[in-house]
Amino acid sequence: MDGTVWTDVDDFITGTLLPDDPVFAETLRAAEEGGLPPISVSAPQGMLLHLLVRALGARRVLEIGTLAGYSTIWMARAIVGGGTVVTLEVDPHHAEVARQNFVRAGVDGVVDLRLGPALDALGAIEKEGGPPFDLVFVDADKKTYPEYLLAALRLSRPGTLLVVDNVVRDGQVLDSTTQDPDVAGTRRALELLGEEPRVVATAIQTVGSKGYDGFALALVTS
Ligand code: SAH
Ligand code: DHB
Ligand code: MG
């Protein structure tokens, strides 16, 4: 079993279960033409985010790490009744490609893209003192995951769901002596969720078109 069959099965799942909406392919094409790295969530993963937003009836979604806005669009399409996806991106070119994708997808009215380092944006959002988020998707630089999770907790309420991408990375998360700050950050983020009394959490290993990886899910309880 290798990446070829994982990708073929992802294609089968996508063709069998997912809506045939050209906006998603157009979004990925724009990302590729813009020279952005091919690291957006897969289509089945995008649909998982969509289903979680819908199941929660989420009106306020926070995404840390926009890239071309592919995952943002999956979530924005699940928001009903005047909700917002706030999405944070540090790279001006990524943000520009994403903005065009939001317009093409017809979700630019639903998405609030904040350009700049995510930690700065998170501080600003805290200062604004708006309502808590219903779902937070953490998917930016892995070395900063622990800080992102702590900020996400400050912006949460009991019932908020935290979703964290790329927590397995080919099993690299097992390496307690890693010199890679991204692996260390991911590992620390899982430890933090395990130690944090305000959440119940798990992590699920995945295979698919993005290889062997996984995501963590944490429900804020208090
Ligand atoms: N969620 C996207 C993929 C995000 S890739 C999707 O699945 O479609 C990670 C993104 O995080 C990249 O665009 C990168 O530029 C951005 N990023 C990296 N460091 C960041 C930081 N400090 N603040 C905000 N964004 C950051
Ligand atoms: C990378 C980042 C991601 O968010 C992802 O889902 C896959 C790969 C990366 O930086 O390599
Ligand atoms: Mg990711």
Side-chain angles (χ1 to χ4, degrees), residues 64 119 122 126 136 138-154 162 164-167 180-196 198:
I64 307 177
L119 283 180
L122 290 163
E126 269 184 66
V136 182
V138 181
D139 195 22
D141 52 316
K142 317 308 170 197
K143 65 181 182 304
T144 317
Y145 269 16
E147 286 86 352
Y148 294 152
L149 282 176
L150 293 171
L153 279 171
R154 290 192 292 272
L162 312 179
V164 188
D165 199 22
N166 311 118
V167 300
D180 181 332
D182 288 329
V183 176
T186 302
R187 204 182 147 87
R188 182 71 203 120
L190 291 186
E191 289 169 350
L192 194 152
L193 289 175
E195 294 160 4
E196 174 54 64
R198 290 170 293 176

Side-chain angles (χ1 to χ4, degrees), residues 39-41 45 65 137-140 142 145 164-166 169 210 213:
I39 57 175
S40 308
V41 294
Q45 290 169 343
F137 179 47
V138 181
D139 195 22
K142 317 308 170 197
Y145 269 16
V164 188
D165 199 22
N166 311 118
R169 301 302 282 276
K210 296 189 68 185
D213 211 326

